[in-house]
Amino acid sequence: MTFTEEQLRRVGPLWDRMLSHRFLLETRDGTLPDETFATWMRQDYLFVEAAIPFIAGLVAKAPRDHREELAGFLPALHRELELFEERAERAGVDLRGAPPSFTCHAYVQFLLATAYRCSYAEGFTVLYVAEKAYHASWKVVREGLDEESPWWPFVENWSSRAFGEWVGWLEESVDALAEGAGHQERARMQELFELTTRYEIAFWEMAVSGEEWPGIEDGG
Ligand code: MP5
């Protein structure tokens, strides 16, 4: 069994929880309140902005045969930001000025910390799980969302065949990195695999709960 098969099996219950999250099912069924979707858009825009220095940090450490593929993802992130800007303008959502939610802030700090402080294989594991999670999540939405929906371009972005090929490359690569990892590094990769899955669930949860920072309600 490959590393990713083993880990996806291990975190299976969490993964199922992520894929059956209300945010995805209600977006799929067209019943999610627009304001909830707008919350996700504002926060994910911040996440994607931070994904750029995250990937750049990984590129700096990447083995030579990974550099081109990884660096080649940076323009895709810029196009993704434009997709958010275009959709937000169409839907009358103001993307600018929203502070990061507690969960978004934590997830972004986690991303950057793994890219800059962990080994390449460990940071790469986080990238793989985040991308695999979005590919799988938006495939759930794809199963029912009307193609006329203003949110369809997001479905297309992450559930497309091209994105699936990118996730396929990440999967083969993370499996090869795990093969070459020592016992301790592999254990760290497993831990980061689970943590990233938990962050993905927390991100959907943040969007539906409209969470505030602790202390904000009493002026703290
Ligand atoms: C991704 C994302 C996918 N945009 N947001 C979260 C919370 N997780 C994963 O990453 P990318 O870099 O936008 O493909």
Side-chain angles (χ1 to χ4, degrees):
M1 208 191 293
T2 64
F3 173 75
T4 50
E5 284 168 351
E6 202 178 281
Q7 295 313 305
L8 287 168
R9 181 177 295 189
R10 186 174 67 88
V11 304
L14 282 177
W15 202 262
D16 292 345
R17 208 167 130 194
M18 173 180 79
L19 296 184
S20 57
H21 197 280
R22 242 185 79 191
F23 183 95
L24 299 174
L25 304 186
E26 291 181 15
T27 303
R28 178 195 68 189
D29 298 341
T31 56
L32 191 85
D34 285 347
E35 194 39 43
T36 305
F37 200 86
T39 301
W40 168 78
M41 274 173 90
R42 289 189 204 97
Q43 296 299 321
D44 212 51
Y45 185 68
L46 296 174
F47 180 95
V48 176
E49 274 187 329
I52 294 171
F54 168 62
I55 305 271
L58 289 179
V59 172
K61 291 182 172 176
R64 199 166 170 184
D65 63 339
H66 276 199
R67 273 188 215 144
E68 200 177 339
E69 191 90 27
L70 262 189
F73 190 58
L74 291 170
L77 289 175
H78 284 282
R79 283 195 299 277
E80 230 170 64
L81 289 175
E82 284 165 10
L83 168 67
F84 275 86
E85 286 155 13
E86 188 264 320
R87 286 292 101 184
E89 195 178 333
R90 236 198 92 174
V93 173
D94 184 8
L95 278 185
R96 298 268 166 208
S101 65
F102 182 73
T103 299
C104 180
H105 186 268
Y107 196 176
V108 162
Q109 298 307 310
F110 168 71
L111 281 187
L112 297 175
T114 54
Y116 289 89
R117 297 191 50 203
C118 295
S119 73
Y120 179 69
E122 289 163 13
F124 196 91
T125 304
V126 172
L127 172 64
Y128 163 72
V129 176
E131 298 292 59
K132 174 88 176 175
Y134 253 41
H135 186 50
S137 295
W138 289 95
K139 278 206 290 199
V140 169
V141 179
R142 189 181 192 107
E143 282 162 18
L145 188 68
D146 187 341
E147 288 187 31
E148 300 300 313
S149 160
W151 313 137
W152 182 260
F154 292 112
V155 171
E156 197 45 36
N157 185 59
W158 286 293
S159 70
S160 68
R161 182 189 291 243
F163 196 81
E165 283 168 8
W166 156 245
V167 173
W169 178 77
L170 293 169
E171 193 156 287
E172 278 168 33
S173 305
V174 81
D175 283 334
L177 289 167
E179 282 278 313
H183 179 72
Q184 280 194 343
E185 189 178 39
R186 201 179 155 105
R188 271 293 288 165
M189 289 168 79
Q190 291 182 11
E191 197 182 309
L192 290 165
F193 199 108
E194 183 173 333
L195 258 179
T196 310
T197 308
R198 290 189 188 279
Y199 267 118
E200 286 294 328
I201 299 172
F203 208 88
W204 297 131
E205 194 51 36
M206 168 272 297
V208 298
S209 70
E211 110 199 327
E212 298 280 5
W213 281 73
I216 265 190
E217 63 285 1
D218 45 346

